[in-house]
Amino acid sequence: MKMRRIVVSFVLSLAAAALPAQVTAIRAGQLVDPSTGTTARDQIVLVEGGKITAVGAAVAIPPGARIVDLSKKTVMPGFFDAHTHLCLGIRTQGGNGLPELLRSLLAATAIETDAYRAIQGVANARDMLRAGFTTVRDVGNAGNYADTALRRAIENGLVPGPTVVSAGRIITPYGGQYHGLPPTRADIAQPEYLYADTPDEMRKAVRENIAFGATVIKIVVDDQPYLYSVDDVKTLVKEAAAGGLKVAAHCATDAGARIAAEGGVASVEHAYRATTPTLELMKSKGTYLVGTDFTRQAAHEMGMDEYHGWVVDRLKRAYAVGVPVAFGTDVVFEMPGETRGTLSIEFVTSFVEAGVTPKQILQAMTVNGARLLGMEKERGAIAPGYFADIVATDVNPLENVDAVRHVNFVMKNGNVIRDDAASGREP
Ligand SMILES: [Zn+2]
């Protein structure tokens, strides 16, 4: 009897293994390829086992395939946000200035528990994915590795969220990004920041981060009067590379951006006031600009009104120079009626103001982000062999790029996350 049961279950498991995986066939009315800025009509996209297996007008739909009808929509690769802080949320109370923002940041990071930070991450990850962001690079400010917990929970299928590249603790010169720390409580900035001032400390900081789950290294070059030097940055980049990781560098100043580019980082973050010669240096080094290009409203919320004009001007010059640009937002504030996703996707309006073309904007949000994250052979395109990270809109963003703010279909790794038409909801 016992033997028989074993035989039956063995046969059943063989049968399960022999069953073909469920195939999904997407009917795409218009299919946008951001890398070429072209649109193909009436395409079929086949998805199996989370990946795209075929794309074309004459692709045969296998019998039994599940059909996703997007024949009245425009379909494109899911978006990348290369600068998020999912495990951080700040009530800014409408722009009370930068010192107030820093006080709010200190309160949010020093008082809030890591458990709550992880739960914030879950909510923000879900909302980013719903807005069309299927991949994010989360650049620290996650307490004591709440981001590693979030990344693992998403990878294990516990909670919905984008594919996450996470930075763990931010490596900085003494004091982190805080100013006026009380000498008796200099440790308040930890664990949010990982102080590293000597080459030995830098190597150890990188290794510690990798040991606790970081998949990208985030450094702050220039938030204190004492900056990291080019040699410091080279030390950090070399140690990160030894562990297979790239480096993202916070550079608020022009001097910081130059140091980071000379030091060989993968991306300069912010570069709010980078001069044109610095942008030219970045281009020559292949350094990505992740501009965190605040909308007028976001700049106001952060108490940084003047920054909006700066980033629009800097974006204009960056595109004129030809610096590689990846879309990144840096939203940490909360706003009634908005989600982290809706607030982040709005940053395309800064690109529009800077005169960046829809094709270039879509590239910054897809292929460029994929390249910066080292995922250009896996994500950021709708092609055979790529993960099925797919979004759709009613209007073709190449005709009106504002359409990306109204994504109403999201698939990640072949799973439908959002389909407003199927659920009977108005887009
Ligand atoms: Zn940031």
Side-chain angles (χ1 to χ4, degrees):
M1 185 64 186
K2 195 178 175 194
M3 188 59 184
R4 185 165 169 241
R5 206 177 296 150
I6 290 169
V7 169
V8 167
S9 69
F10 180 63
V11 170
L12 282 177
S13 66
L14 273 184
L19 271 179
Q22 172 71 51
V23 176
T24 300
I26 300 171
R27 292 184 186 279
Q30 301 193 64
L31 182 65
V32 167
D33 177 356
S35 66
T36 56
T38 55
T39 304
R41 292 193 168 272
D42 299 321
Q43 300 286 297
I44 305 287
V45 181
L46 294 187
V47 175
E48 189 178 339
K51 289 195 169 177
I52 296 161
T53 55
V55 183
V59 169
I61 297 178
R66 181 177 59 143
I67 308 289
V68 174
D69 184 12
L70 303 176
S71 57
K72 296 200 164 51
K73 293 186 190 289
T74 299
V75 175
M76 69 211 86
F79 307 140
F80 286 63
D81 186 334
H83 191 117
T84 66
H85 300 285
L86 298 180
C87 299
L88 176 64
I90 297 178
R91 301 262 155 85
T92 52
Q93 290 154 350
N96 291 327
L98 199 51
E100 185 57 37
L101 174 76
L102 290 172
R103 265 193 292 280
S104 309
L105 179 67
L106 191 55
T109 55
I111 296 170
E112 205 46 88
T113 62
D114 292 323
Y116 190 81
R117 302 282 295 275
I119 293 169
Q120 280 182 311
V122 168
N124 288 329
R126 173 200 63 199
D127 291 341
M128 289 295 282
L129 185 55
R130 279 187 65 77
F133 293 104
T134 49
T135 310
V136 303
R137 190 180 60 163
D138 200 66
V139 286
N141 287 125
N144 209 356
Y145 297 100
D147 57 345
T148 299
L150 173 66
R151 180 171 58 70
R152 288 181 48 225
I154 292 170
E155 287 168 1
N156 292 336
L158 283 181
V159 295
T163 298
V164 176
V165 173
S166 60
R169 292 169 64 192
I170 300 174
I171 300 174
T172 70
Y174 193 83
Q177 288 189 267
Y178 298 123
H179 301 268
L181 277 177
T184 48
R185 295 296 316 281
D187 61 329
I188 289 180
Q190 302 183 81
E192 205 71 23
Y193 295 94
L194 191 46
Y195 302 164
D197 293 282
T198 67
D200 284 353
E201 287 171 353
M202 289 172 204
R203 278 195 286 271
K204 190 168 181 188
V206 169
R207 291 177 183 189
E208 193 175 318
N209 246 343
I210 296 173
F212 293 120
T215 52
V216 62
I217 296 297
K218 166 79 174 300
I219 65 172
V220 169
V221 173
D222 59 355
D223 243 30
Q224 297 289 355
Y226 36 87
L227 277 56
Y228 272 145
S229 67
V230 173
D231 280 344
D232 290 339
V233 174
K234 283 182 177 167
T235 299
L236 289 155
V237 167
K238 194 175 165 201
E239 192 61 34
L245 272 54
K246 297 189 182 192
V247 174
H250 165 109
C251 306
T253 67
D254 183 59
R258 285 199 80 81
I259 289 167
E262 300 257 19
V265 302
S267 62
V268 163
E269 315 293 304
H270 316 302
Y272 303 118
R273 307 200 71 180
T275 60
T276 300
T278 297
L279 294 169
E280 282 162 354
L281 173 70
M282 287 169 61
K283 187 197 176 189
S284 74
K285 294 272 186 183
T287 317
Y288 274 79
L289 170 67
V290 179
T292 64
D293 308 283
F294 289 130
T295 61
R296 190 177 302 283
Q297 183 193 41
H300 180 70
E301 272 314 297
M302 300 290 281
M304 300 160 74
D305 282 311
E306 66 275 33
Y307 284 63
H308 174 68
W310 293 349
V311 294
V312 169
D313 168 66
R314 193 263 289 111
L315 262 183
K316 263 185 212 163
R317 289 183 292 112
Y319 274 95
V321 165
V323 181
V325 173
F327 185 81
T329 57
D330 203 21
V331 174
V332 294
F333 61 91
E334 294 166 356
M335 197 173 253
E338 301 281 352
T339 72
R340 185 61 63 90
T342 60
L343 289 168
S344 298
I345 198 79
E346 247 177 68
F347 278 45
V348 295
T349 59
S350 295
F351 283 68
V352 172
E353 271 182 68
V356 183
T357 66
K359 173 184 165 184
Q360 289 170 322
I361 295 174
L362 282 180
Q363 288 176 343
M365 298 178 79
T366 57
V367 278
N368 294 7
R371 226 173 278 135
L372 170 59
L373 273 57
M375 294 180 176
E376 67 274 20
K377 295 197 170 76
E378 300 163 33
R379 302 183 193 272
I382 296 181
Y386 280 70
F387 283 98
D389 290 352
I390 294 168
V391 301
T393 53
D394 286 343
V395 173
N396 187 335
L398 288 173
E399 283 152 25
N400 179 0
V401 79
D402 204 52
V404 300
R405 293 169 64 197
H406 308 284
V407 163
N408 49 29
F409 173 88
V410 179
M411 172 181 275
K412 186 209 158 194
N413 287 355
N415 297 313
V416 176
I417 302 295
R418 171 176 190 172
D419 186 353
D420 292 7
S423 63
R425 283 174 47 164
E426 290 296 312

